[in-house]
Amino acid sequence: AREVVMLEPLTVVPGAPAPLLGVANLRGSVLAVVEPRPLLGLPARPLAPGAPALVIAAGDLQAAIPIDRVVGLDWFEAPLLLDGVDRPGAAFATGVVPHAGDHATLLDAGQLLQALRAPWSSPTQEARP
């Protein structure tokens, strides 16, 4: 996670695959805004201007994902291994951490960004080392 931003109106990209909601300006750079909820087993939600988004990055991939709100910033020692319970986002989870009397799922940003990018990748691009 890089930062939380408030999204201004997005520029729609004609012909873009479904995960791409549009692009936004982030301090002079183009930032993709993507919808990860369907990949996480959650329903997509409409996006309003001024909505918060979390900017995530892994390697050379970076995007903003809409969020409902920021509930806090917590420090944790080490994630707990997944206990086999079917949780939303389990396919992208690296573990869980205690949070507010329950557990919060930790997502692998790199794996999630790769899955969101997949509709743009051709078979020859994916075969490259």
Side-chain angles (χ1 to χ4, degrees):
R2 297 282 186 221
E3 63 184 295
V4 174
V5 297
M6 304 309 278
L7 294 173
E8 301 203 5
L10 300 181
T11 300
V12 177
V13 178
L20 183 66
L21 299 174
V23 294
N25 178 358
L26 180 64
R27 293 183 295 283
S29 295
V30 176
L31 177 66
V33 179
V34 295
E35 175 58 271
R37 287 180 179 104
L39 282 176
L40 300 173
L42 302 167
R45 294 189 182 163
L47 182 64
L54 178 66
V55 178
I56 60 174
D60 61 347
L61 299 177
Q62 177 173 286
I65 56 174
I67 58 175
D68 296 326
R69 66 189 180 285
V70 176
V71 294
L73 179 63
D74 291 328
W75 180 262
F76 56 89
E77 293 298 321
L80 304 171
L81 297 178
L82 291 174
D83 54 11
V85 175
D86 187 24
R87 302 175 63 85
F92 300 97
T94 61
V96 294
V97 293
H99 178 71
D102 194 8
H103 288 92
T105 303
L106 295 178
L107 299 176
D108 182 324
Q111 187 180 1
L112 183 59
L113 286 169
Q114 286 291 346
L116 289 163
R117 184 177 184 263
W120 286 275
S121 299
S122 70
T124 56
Q125 288 175 322
E126 290 176 358
R128 290 185 202 165

